Amino acid sequence: MQFRRGCSRVLELTEDEFEALVADALDEIPAELSQVMDNVVIMVEDEAPDEEPELLGLYEGTPLTDRGDYTGVLPDVIRLFRLPILRICETHEDVLDEIAITVVHEIAHHFGIDDDRLHELGWA
């Protein structure tokens, strides 16, 4: 997921504080969805890959809708990038909102929803 707005100063949140906000956002995912998430881990990293520094989050794996014989496979990974998120947010509330949006966006990819459909739904 890429950013949508910019800010001249960067908010400061420690890794632990940011991870706690991510955990809170994950707690808001409806139980019906979180119970069917399969073989996926969620990680927080400071920066996005060099080739895409504006990314806020990234899903890497095989969406549930594309899985066939899916045994013995390493977990899919949802990565949230702390510093890019903080760079685009002006307030603590902005951070909460951006984390929630990014978590939903990347989990949607795990369920096989592409960026075009997320745009249609207002999540991108």
Side-chain angles (χ1 to χ4, degrees):
M1 177 173 190
Q2 296 182 347
F3 71 89
R4 290 176 292 288
R5 57 185 184 267
C7 177
S8 60
R9 73 173 183 70
V10 177
L11 289 175
E12 292 185 23
L13 281 175
T14 67
E15 290 176 32
D16 289 340
E17 291 168 332
F18 192 89
E19 287 177 6
L21 296 177
V22 171
D24 291 345
L26 290 168
D27 287 344
E28 296 298 316
I29 300 297
E32 312 75 62
L33 292 179
S34 61
Q35 290 172 356
V36 294
M37 290 177 64
D38 183 44
N39 201 34
V40 61
V41 296
I42 298 172
M43 302 175 66
V44 173
E45 297 179 6
D46 276 345
E47 293 286 355
D50 287 338
E51 63 274 7
E52 299 184 79
E54 72 282 356
L55 284 179
L56 305 182
L58 181 64
Y59 170 72
E60 299 171 304
T62 303
L64 294 175
T65 54
D66 294 342
R67 293 181 183 179
D69 181 23
Y70 193 78
T71 56
V73 178
L74 290 174
D76 294 0
V77 179
I78 291 174
R79 300 178 195 282
L80 286 103
F81 302 114
R82 182 174 69 94
L83 295 176
I85 290 173
L86 294 177
R87 281 194 291 268
I88 67 162
C89 294
E90 295 181 16
T91 67
H92 191 296
E93 283 299 314
D94 289 343
V95 174
L96 295 174
D97 291 343
E98 202 58 60
I99 288 172
I101 291 166
T102 304
V103 164
V104 167
H105 183 104
E106 301 310 330
I107 288 174
H109 289 318
H110 177 67
F111 284 101
I113 300 170
D114 65 17
D115 281 331
D116 290 339
R117 182 66 179 136
L118 284 168
H119 281 283
E120 290 173 14
L121 296 170
W123 284 100

